Structures are given as C-alpha cells and as structure tokens.
Amino acid sequence: GGATDTLARSLAQKLSESLGQPVVIDNRAGASGNIGLEAAVRAPADGHTMVMIATATAAINPSLYRNLSFDAGRDLTPVAFISYVPNILVVHPSVPANNLTELVTYLKANPGKVNYASPGSGNSSHLAAEMFRQRTGVEITHVPYKGSSGSVNDLISGQVSALLSSLPSLQGLIDKGYVRLLASTAPSNSPATRNLPLMSQTIAGFEYSTWYALYVPIDTPNALVQRINKALNQALRNPKLNDKVENAGTELHGGTPEDVLRWTQRDTEKWSRVIQAAKISVD
C-alpha cells in the first residue's frame, strides 16, 4: 500500500506485456528499504529478479546506516529511472505563515519553540528538514514517529506544526483545509507540481525529491539489462499509465542506466553532507 508498492503494481501489468511474461510483486518492507535491497542483492543474476528502490535506499542509506554490508551502487546494476515525486512543506493552520518567507521569519523570532514531524529518524523527510534548518539558520525541534500515519495524525491535531512529505499523500488534507501548503521542494514547476511556489525561490538550490529506479543484481548480463530497459521504457510511454500516475502527482521519466547513476551520485553527495553536518546515524 505504500508509494513503492503502488507504483510497482501500476507498472507490473504494462511491463509484463512488454516482456511477454508475468511480473510478480514481492513486497519486502522494513529498514528503509534495506530488507528488500538485500533480497535483490542475494538473488540470482539471471534477469528474473528486479528491484524498485527509492532515493533513500540508493542515495541516503549508505551514509546513514553504520553496519550495512551492501549498497545499491556496489551490488546492483541500474536498469532505468522510473519516476519523480515532488514533495511539499505543509504546516498546521495555527502557524502564522502563508508562505516560506513568513515561516522563516516566524521561526527566527521563536527559536526552538516550533516542532516538526517526520516518519522516523534518518528518514528523507527528516533529512530534508535538517537541510532546511542548516540553510536558513532556524532552530526547530524534530519529533520522529514510527511511520507516516502517526506524524500526519498529530499534524492534523496540532501536536506538531510542520511536515515535509509527498504531494500525493497530503493533497486530500490540503483540499479539506486540515493543513496549509507553503511550498514545493521540486527544482522547477511541472505538470505534477502545477504552479506551486518553490522552496528554491526563497532558499537557493533547495531541492528534496523522491525518485524511483529499477535495478537488477550486479552480474546480470548486459543483454538482459538492455532488454528490461527497453521493455520498461515502452511501458512508461503508455498513455493510460501516464494519465493514471500523473493524476496522482507523480512524473514518469524512463531513460538509461547512466541516468540512474547520475541521480544517485548527485543525491548521495548532497545527503551525505546533510547527514555529516547533523551527525545522524542509524545502527
């Protein structure tokens, strides 16, 4: 039922048609994607095991977890970029700010008095808030939860004041007035972000995105990698799939294995600096 599962199920049928064989979803939840990643790393490199992982698993966890014995860059081969999901900053209606500039001004006038939620320590939402704190110099208090539902519920009730999360997951609450949207963390406007104000317009270079990519075990023959890449890109161009996914606030991209490597390298460097500056680690 999570974002990765939902996207995978949307893709599976179209990918199955392109490959000419069934594509079965096998969810391995837990440890910020590390359980599923380890299963893929240990699978035979025969083209029959693929793994869809998000930004955190590929570009954050290697710097965050102290005792990982594997990582995506070393133990998996990228197949193709899949999608990009814009994130947003929302606050409880009681917060006296209608845009990002007003929020920063309010936070500086009330150091340490405002708290923000995240689905857990080291989660990408937590790291994005740390990046926000580091770049603006504000003092805010982190309240970690065990999953997103608790953080969202307490935001609605006013127990916490702010949250960084995906647009699709919060759109319904925004529409009902339970939370106030201040800005999108995307680098630029797009069909998914519509005409939302961007955090980068106030904080230069600020960008927090969640992206998904498909990988296979490291020794998978290149011919199979290219076949899966071709089938995946064909599936991603399906108009019905595009309409369904885009309406949910997600942008489909496709592309080459090299595209995945560029995104992974870029975000690994960015988030490792945030992690080191904030001195965050997970055993």
Side-chain angles (χ1 to χ4, degrees), residues 23-213:
V23 176
V24 179
I25 306 299
D26 179 10
N27 285 310
R28 302 290 183 92
S32 296
N34 287 330
I35 292 175
L37 179 60
E38 183 175 19
V41 165
R42 302 187 186 285
D46 57 7
H48 289 284
T49 297
M50 302 172 284
V51 58
M52 188 168 77
I53 60 179
T55 315
T57 315
I60 294 177
N61 290 359
S63 300
L64 182 66
Y65 284 82
R66 296 177 183 174
N67 301 312
L68 280 184
S69 59
F70 51 84
D71 69 63
R74 185 187 66 217
D75 300 318
L76 295 172
T77 295
V79 175
F81 198 80
I82 294 175
S83 68
Y84 170 93
V85 182
N87 293 291
I88 54 173
L89 171 63
V90 296
V91 295
H92 187 265
S94 63
V95 176
N98 292 300
N99 56 55
L100 190 59
T101 300
E102 291 180 0
L103 177 65
V104 172
T105 300
Y106 177 71
L107 294 176
K108 288 186 175 180
N110 297 274
K113 295 181 181 180
V114 177
N115 54 26
Y116 71 93
S118 85
S121 294
N123 180 277
S124 59
S125 174
H126 173 208
L127 298 183
E130 278 297 316
M131 183 166 64
F132 170 75
R133 183 186 63 79
Q134 291 169 16
R135 295 195 180 189
T136 59
V138 300
E139 293 182 31
I140 47 179
T141 302
H142 178 217
V143 182
Y145 288 80
K146 293 181 179 180
S148 59
S149 60
S151 62
V152 171
N153 288 338
D154 277 7
L155 176 66
I156 294 172
S157 67
Q159 297 300 308
V160 290
S161 298
L163 175 68
L164 281 153
S165 191
S166 69
L167 175 59
S169 67
L170 295 173
Q171 186 65 66
L173 301 178
I174 296 167
D175 293 341
K176 294 177 181 178
Y178 292 144
V179 298
R180 181 186 303 131
L181 190 157
L182 296 188
S184 169
T185 63
S188 61
N189 287 122
S190 67
T193 60
R194 299 142 201 163
N195 294 312
L196 299 177
L198 304 175
M199 290 185 72
S200 60
Q201 294 169 336
T202 302
I203 307 171
F206 190 99
E207 190 255 338
Y208 156 48
S209 60
T210 300
W211 49 260
Y212 296 89

